[in-house]
Structures are given as structure tokens and as C-alpha cells.
């Protein structure tokens, strides 16, 4: 009861004397956005958490990955409008291309190592004309445009504005973060942590020829820069996400167990035909958001030295785990240790996931707008 009274008082601008309030953790979501697959779901969940005061969502930064950047931006702009957060959370355009692994490199990859046998994201087709993008299912955003500031400068500005407070939720190829680190290396000690859904440790990959995980395969050079930066890293690899498929039971809870919303309609349209297939659909990026909000969900975490293969060979983009002696790499700061999460509490995760995806839309804010650092 006391906590409820305190929440109402704070939302109304009255803070009792002597009460110290913990601010919600600040997060930038770096995303290769899609409307209602894993990135889109993470955005819905983050918007609900932001509306409830659980997190402070500073913005979305966009890099090519699942789709080309401009297509992703169109879908993210519609998403913030659909969710009713467009006046509070902006969309920042970032990298059009990986550092080196561009579309022509991909074509060479196919020539050298054979055709793709699994997912290649944006590289399934050449970059489209920005004037001819595909509309989201419910149409393009009507009143929302990208921020004037680009993603790289936004990341830098937030790191300096909120030193030791900003988490990067990295659910895209990490091109934007790598470019920010290269442009202003002083942000490295200022970032609180990078929580990323990426990589494969002891399981096969899900990109190109099945050797590497998609996010890191798409831009291995950027991944190397970010992994070697002296920032606390949490990695949620395929070893973990493979244990959390979208089951028929969870699907039914979302589409049938709650009042229908635009989100549950889009979700049903996207997944109805793939439920019960082998392999099942996965909900990759949502696991990183769950860990960020509830690190206690982790049931198996290990400290590992993780790097990436950036040699242009058949294992391009594959995670490398150093076992045994890491000298001289760690001693000179060339190799960092990451927290690698191999398991989450499945029941707790699914309850969290279903709850946030089935709340009313547009989101309902408990408190007035607050400063999210968007000058």
C-alpha cells in the first residue's frame, strides 16, 4: 500500500521529504528493426516497460541487418506511432552498411563458399531505392520522422550526458556502436554495459552457411571492435535463445488469451503458419531485453573470453571462445571477458513475454513525460 501511495505521489509531482528514488535504468535499443518479429516484439515490450516506469527508453538507433536500414526505419517509425510513444522516443538513423562486409562481399562469399543455406537478412536482395520501400501492414507512419541527429552522435551524446548510466541493448549487428567507439573512444569507460543477443558458443550458427550467428556474421569487424572495448558485456547467444522457441501454448496465450490489440493481430498474422513447424520460430532479441530488466532470470551464466573470426573464410563471423591461457591478449587489453548467458528461467521469461505483448496499445503512461535526453 505504501509503495502504491508513493508511486501516485511521484507521478503527481509530490516526493515525500527524505525519500530517495531510484531512477529507472537508461537504455538505448540498437536494432535492425522489423515490425513484429523479434526486434519488433522487443520494441513493444520496451514501450510497455517505459510506460510503467520500469526503464527509461532513450531512443531507437537503426542499422542494416534483418533488412536494409531505410526499410527498418520505416517500420520502426510506424511502431513508435502505433505504440503511442512517438512524442517521447525518437528513431535515429545509423549505419547503412557494415564496416567491410557489404553486399558485394556477400556476393563474393557465395562465389567462394557456396550458396546460402540459411538466413542472410538484408542480403537476400540488393538495397532498394529509398523512395520505394514496403509499407508496414498497417501503413507508413503519418506524422513521425527520424530524428535529425544520427545514431552514432546520439550514442556518444547520451554516454556523456549520463555517464555510467546508459546500457546499450544491442539486438542488431553492432555497426553503430563500433562507429561511435571509433569516433569518440572516451565513451568506452562511460557506458554502463552492453547487453547483446548475438553469437553462438557451442551450437551451430543461423546465418549464411550455418557457421555463425546472424548479427555477428553481418558485421564481424564491428563486432570485434565492440567485444574488445573495455565495457561490461553480457552476451545472450544462440545457446540460450534456442531453448526459448515460440511454442503453440505461448502463441495461443498471446492471440487468444487476452483482448485483441493491433499487436496481437500482427503477431497472429506473422506466426500462425509457422507454429508447430520444425524448427519452430524463435524470439531471439526479446531474451536480451528480459535479461536487462530481470538479470535474476539467468539460470546459467559463465565468464568467458569471447572474440570473433573476421578472416574471410567459411567461418567468417563465427564466435571464438578462448579457453586456457589468454596471455598476452588479456594482459594488454586486447581481449575482454564477457558474461555469457546459457539459460534463462523459461517459465519466468514466458510470463514476462506474454504479459508485455498483450497489454493495451497504445501504451498507457503512469507518469507525465520526463527528460529522456532528447535535445
Amino acid at each position: 500500500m505504501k509503495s502504491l501511495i508513493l508511486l501516485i505521489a511521484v507521478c503527481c509531482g509530490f516526493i515525500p521529504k527524505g525519500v530517495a528514488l531510484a531512477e529507472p535504468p537508461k537504455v538505448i535499443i540498437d536494432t535492425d528493426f522489423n515490425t513484429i518479429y523479434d526486434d519488433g516484439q522487443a520494441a513493444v515490450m520496451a514501450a510497455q516497460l517505459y510506460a510503467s516506469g520500469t526503464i527509461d527508453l532513450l531512443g531507437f538507433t537503426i542499422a542494416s541487418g534483418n533488412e536494409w536500414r531505410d526499410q527498418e526505419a520505416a517500420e520502426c517509425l510506424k511502431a513508435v506511432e502505433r505504440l503511442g510513444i512517438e512524442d517521447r522516443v525518437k528513431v535515429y538513423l545509423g549505419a547503412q552498411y557494415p564496416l567491410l562486409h557489404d553486399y558485394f562481399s556477400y556476393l563474393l562469399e557465395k562465389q567462394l563458399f557456396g550458396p546460402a543455406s540459411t538466413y542472410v537478412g538484408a542480403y537476400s536482395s540488393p538495397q532498394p531505392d529509398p523512395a520505394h520501400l514496403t509499407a508496414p501492414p498497417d501503413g507508413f507512419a503519418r506524422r513521425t520522422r527520424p530524428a535529425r541527429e544520427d545514431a552514432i552522435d546520439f550514442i556518444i551524446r547520451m554516454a556523456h550526458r549520463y555517464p555510467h548510466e546508459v546500457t546499450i541493448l544491442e539486438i542488431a549487428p553492432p555497426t553503430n556502436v563500433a562507429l561511435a567507439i571509433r569516433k569518440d573512444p572516451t565513451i568506452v569507460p562511460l557506458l554502463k554495459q552492453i547487453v547483446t543477443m548475438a553469437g553462438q558458443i557451442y551450437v551451430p550458427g543461423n546465418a549464411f552457411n550455418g557457421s555463425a550467428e546472424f548479427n555477428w556474421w553481418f558485421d564481424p569487424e564491428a563486432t570485434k571492435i565492440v567485444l574488445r572495448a573495455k565495457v561490461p558485456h553480457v552476451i545472450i547467444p544462440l545457446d540460450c535463445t534456442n531453448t526459448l522457441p515460440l511454442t503453440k501454448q505461448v502463441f495461443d496465450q498471446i492471440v487468444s488469451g487476452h483482448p485483441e490489440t493491433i499487436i496481437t493481430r500482427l503477431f497472429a498474422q506473422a506466426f500462425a503458419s509457422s507454429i508447430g513447424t520444425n524448427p519452430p520460430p524463435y524470439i531471439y532479441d526479446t531474451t536480451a531485453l528480459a535479461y536487462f530488466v530481470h538479470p535474476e532470470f539467468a539460470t546459467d551464466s559463465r565468464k568467458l573470453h569471447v572474440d570473433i573470426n573476421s578472416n574471410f573464410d567459411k567461418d567468417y563471423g563465427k564466435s571464438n571462445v578462448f579457453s586456457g591461457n589468454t596471455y598476452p591478449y588479456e594482459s594488454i587489453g586486447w581481449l575482454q571477458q564477457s558474461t555469457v548467458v546459457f539459460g534463462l528461467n523459461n517459465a519466468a521469461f514466458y510470463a514476462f513475454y506474454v504479459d508485455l505483448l498483450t497489454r493495451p496499445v497504445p501504451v498507457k503512461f503512469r507518469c507525465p513525460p520526463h527528460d529522456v535526453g532528447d535535445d
Side-chain angles (χ1 to χ4, degrees):
M1 187 65 181
K2 288 182 179 178
S3 60
L4 177 60
I5 293 171
L6 179 59
L7 175 63
I8 294 170
V10 171
C11 289
C12 293
F14 301 107
I15 302 176
K17 186 176 180 180
V19 173
L21 297 176
E23 293 188 359
K26 295 177 172 25
V27 62
I28 295 170
I29 299 184
D30 191 49
T31 172
D32 51 342
F33 200 82
N34 48 50
T35 290
I36 201 60
Y37 291 93
D38 54 342
D39 291 79
Q41 292 168 29
V44 174
M45 296 163 70
Q48 296 289 3
L49 292 165
Y50 176 45
S52 68
T54 305
I55 66 173
D56 188 352
L57 179 56
L58 300 179
F60 293 103
T61 52
I62 310 293
S64 290
N66 284 315
E67 301 173 300
W68 293 99
R69 185 204 66 181
D70 293 337
Q71 179 65 45
E72 295 169 351
E75 296 186 34
C76 193
L77 290 167
K78 180 61 177 184
V80 298
E81 200 171 275
R82 184 189 300 123
L83 293 165
I85 61 173
E86 71 274 15
D87 293 334
R88 303 174 183 241
V89 180
K90 294 189 181 299
V91 176
Y92 298 83
L93 300 184
Q96 287 261 25
Y97 309 106
L99 300 188
L100 293 177
H101 188 210
D102 60 13
Y103 183 67
F104 298 103
S105 299
Y106 167 67
L107 296 179
L108 178 59
E109 212 168 350
K110 291 202 298 181
Q111 289 289 326
L112 294 175
F113 311 120
S117 59
T118 185
Y119 188 62
V120 297
Y123 291 159
S124 62
S125 61
Q127 184 177 14
D129 182 341
H132 297 89
L133 302 176
T134 300
D138 46 348
F140 287 112
R142 295 184 177 182
R143 57 189 179 275
T144 312
R145 298 292 179 268
R148 288 190 295 271
E149 184 178 31
D150 69 53
I152 288 82
D153 289 338
F154 173 70
I155 291 169
I156 292 169
R157 182 165 64 86
M158 291 298 96
H160 285 288
R161 181 165 185 170
Y162 302 114
H164 316 296
E165 294 184 52
V166 177
T167 292
I168 305 291
L169 189 71
E170 183 56 83
I171 57 175
T175 317
N176 289 334
V177 179
L179 289 170
I181 288 171
R182 283 294 189 251
K183 184 170 184 177
D184 183 359
T186 67
I187 70 170
V188 170
L190 299 180
L191 292 172
K192 181 178 180 179
Q193 62 179 344
I194 298 173
V195 178
T196 183
M197 187 275 113
Q200 35 57 238
I201 307 301
Y202 305 122
V203 300
N206 64 349
F208 186 53
N209 62 5
S211 178
E213 180 276 328
F214 174 76
N215 282 342
W216 285 0
W217 167 79
F218 200 83
D219 197 342
E221 288 75 23
T223 302
K224 184 162 285 191
I225 290 170
V226 174
L227 281 176
R228 293 181 178 182
K230 200 170 185 179
V231 178
H233 289 273
V234 179
I235 300 169
I236 319 290
L238 295 183
D239 307 58
C240 178
T241 64
N242 287 355
T243 69
L244 290 157
L246 178 57
T247 65
K248 185 176 188 307
Q249 180 183 12
V250 172
F251 174 83
D252 289 343
Q253 287 180 50
I254 292 169
V255 302
S256 305
H258 298 81
E260 186 183 63
T261 69
I262 179 59
I263 298 303
T264 61
R265 285 199 301 275
L266 291 172
F267 189 93
Q269 292 165 10
F271 291 102
S273 64
S274 59
I275 289 299
T277 58
N278 186 24
Y282 292 98
I283 45 185
Y284 303 101
D285 293 337
T286 59
T287 60
L289 178 65
Y291 177 89
F292 166 62
V293 178
H294 290 292
E296 72 277 8
F297 282 4
T299 58
D300 181 2
S301 299
R302 308 172 205 174
K303 297 288 187 180
L304 297 173
H305 294 90
V306 181
D307 202 50
I308 192 164
N309 176 41
S310 58
N311 298 321
F312 197 68
D313 57 25
K314 64 181 179 59
D315 289 331
Y316 187 53
K318 184 178 181 179
S319 309
N320 291 331
V321 179
F322 283 72
S323 57
N325 188 5
T326 60
Y327 180 84
Y329 309 117
E330 187 178 15
S331 64
I332 62 173
W334 183 82
L335 187 65
Q336 305 299 325
Q337 193 175 66
S338 298
T339 298
V340 183
V341 178
F342 286 86
L344 295 177
N345 181 321
N346 286 27
F349 169 79
Y350 284 131
F352 174 80
Y353 177 78
V354 170
D355 170 40
L356 293 174
L357 287 178
T358 54
R359 291 185 186 181
V361 177
V363 301
K364 298 184 182 300
F365 282 90
R366 293 185 181 178
C367 298
H370 62 286
D371 179 14
V372 294
D374 214 353
D375 290 341

